[in-house]
Amino acid sequence: MRESKNRDDELVFVATNDISAITRGRAMRLGDLDFATGCGWVPANIGIGPFGHIVDGIAFGSIGDLRLIPDAGTLTRIDGIPGKPPVNVVLADITHTDGTAWECCPRTFLRRAIEDLESETGLSVHAAFEHEFMLLSDAVPDAPFSYQAMRSVEPMGTELLQILADAGLDPENWLPEYGAHQWELTVGATGALAAADRAVLLRDIVRDYAVATGRRASFSPLVDAEGSGNGAHVHLSLRDAAGAPATYDPDLPGRLSKAAGSFAAGILRHTAALVALTSPSDISYLRLSPHRWSAAQAFLGERNREAMLRVCPTIDMAGKEIGPQFNLEFRAGDAAGNPWLTMGALIRAGLEGIRDGLPTPVVVDRQVEELSPEERGAAGVSDLPGSLAEALDALQADEVVRGWFAPDLIDIHRAIKRDEINQLVGLSEAEKCRRYTGVY
Ligand code: GLU
Ligand code: MG
């Protein structure tokens, strides 16, 4: 591979990530990118569904132009993918041609949610996405979590973690997961916008590496209808205006600070609508079923992997402080969800909970099946929508959640998802999984 001598000669991909959670954009030589004005973009592109066509019935057609304005702070150099030259990616906010924000830009949606949380409460969210995916293979799978599984794909782990570290994504764990040919990658926590930016980048870096080495990686919520699902769990904690941890209070119920308790309650209150955004594929609802350790029901659980919202374990040794580690994990997310929309919607829901002073939900410390009907009621345990259609109806019915979005954005989301459901009518679960495996 011919290495360019000058970084300006390398390609830069100016990127957005859309309602279908696909990273799209335009490339040019880095030296030719004007960071102030970016590059052109087309409004109707936001209407492209996961199966690759612009869906009917959306507000944008052949007319209109936008700009992708790069956020220079996100410029990331991806180097070390075998057989491929280094490439730069810069994430962009979408604006009108006069530079004013485009109301349908998913990244702008998150930035505004962060700003509102901060200006109204002085709080910010510290976060990390946890990524699961399958390496597609017909080979007999290695044992879950095993040394053999880890070694069998080398040098993938070594090279991939180096690429991610060099790109500033702060990789933590690389582990063979429970499912056949399933892997998990975790990264360090950071501010909410950077955490979502990392999630956008990570998925494509992994896919890129896989293709370059003769494999296919799929983050699809379910690759095998009978197998394990791939989650994109989101770890969240609050920081105060001085940047100090603000999630933990050992003297309050659930050991959650008042603000964190209200934040969690806000997420639970809006769950049914939220999942239409965070788990937005048709097969996401096969994954969100009991005993898959995904998120069978909506409740706040202590260290319970069936809970939609989980109080995570802390390291209680070697003098580690609990406050900075204490975090909540939202488990009803997957890679069909745009990370900016997912994170923005969680922050908006949390902010609603804080605004309304909602009390901390009862933290369920047992299996839900062991609770009496009264205990379930007290903990507010509720079923998640059983299908994408049900989730869309819940979103339609939740005026608060719909009110967070520009009407065009929410309408296009609905049009894409309705089209997606229609594309899959009559297919078996296995056939549906197959369709999505190639997309995510
Ligand atoms: N694969 C599970 C899911 O679909 C998560 C397993 C875990 O990491 O706890 O969310
Ligand atoms: Mg996992």
Side-chain angles (χ1 to χ4, degrees), residues 244-282:
T247 314
Y248 178 64
D249 188 330
D251 299 326
L252 291 180
R255 297 183 297 156
L256 285 162
S257 67
K258 187 169 181 303
S262 297
F263 195 93
I267 291 175
L268 289 180
R269 186 174 70 184
H270 294 290
T271 287
L274 282 178
V275 288
L277 300 153
T278 64
S279 287
S281 76
D282 188 280

Side-chain angles (χ1 to χ4, degrees), residues 196-273:
D197 289 348
R198 282 179 179 175
V200 169
L201 292 169
L202 184 138
R203 294 171 187 173
D204 282 309
I205 294 173
V206 171
R207 293 181 188 116
D208 192 5
Y209 181 92
V211 169
T213 53
R215 298 187 177 91
R216 288 291 299 276
S218 179
F219 291 73
S220 175
L222 213 53
V223 166
D224 170 0
E226 306 301 320
S228 293
N230 290 315
H233 306 169
V234 188
H235 290 262
L236 303 152
S237 62
L238 297 173
R239 299 273 166 118
D240 67 17
T247 314
Y248 178 64
D249 188 330
D251 299 326
L252 291 180
R255 297 183 297 156
L256 285 162
S257 67
K258 187 169 181 303
S262 297
F263 195 93
I267 291 175
L268 289 180
R269 186 174 70 184
H270 294 290
T271 287

Side-chain angles (χ1 to χ4, degrees), residues 130-132 145 175 177-178 182-186 229 231 233 293 305 329 331:
E130 217 177 271
H131 304 271
E132 294 179 331
F145 312 114
L175 59 125
E177 250 282 4
Y178 183 66
Q182 190 179 31
W183 294 85
E184 177 170 319
L185 253 171
T186 63
H233 306 169
W293 291 21
R305 290 183 176 78
E329 180 187 37
R331 299 174 65 84

Side-chain angles (χ1 to χ4, degrees), residues 9 86 115 158 181 206 226 273 330 397 421:
D9 296 330
E115 282 162 20
T158 302
H181 308 291
V206 171
E226 306 301 320
F330 175 79
I421 292 169

Side-chain angles (χ1 to χ4, degrees), residues 4-6 38 49 63 73 109 141 147 170 212 218 230 243 257 259 267 273 279 310 339 378 398 411 433:
S4 54
K5 292 196 182 62
N6 187 334
I63 295 169
F109 170 75
Y147 173 84
D170 192 16
S218 179
N230 290 315
S257 67
I267 291 175
S279 287
R310 180 174 78 121
D398 191 330
D411 288 350
C433 290

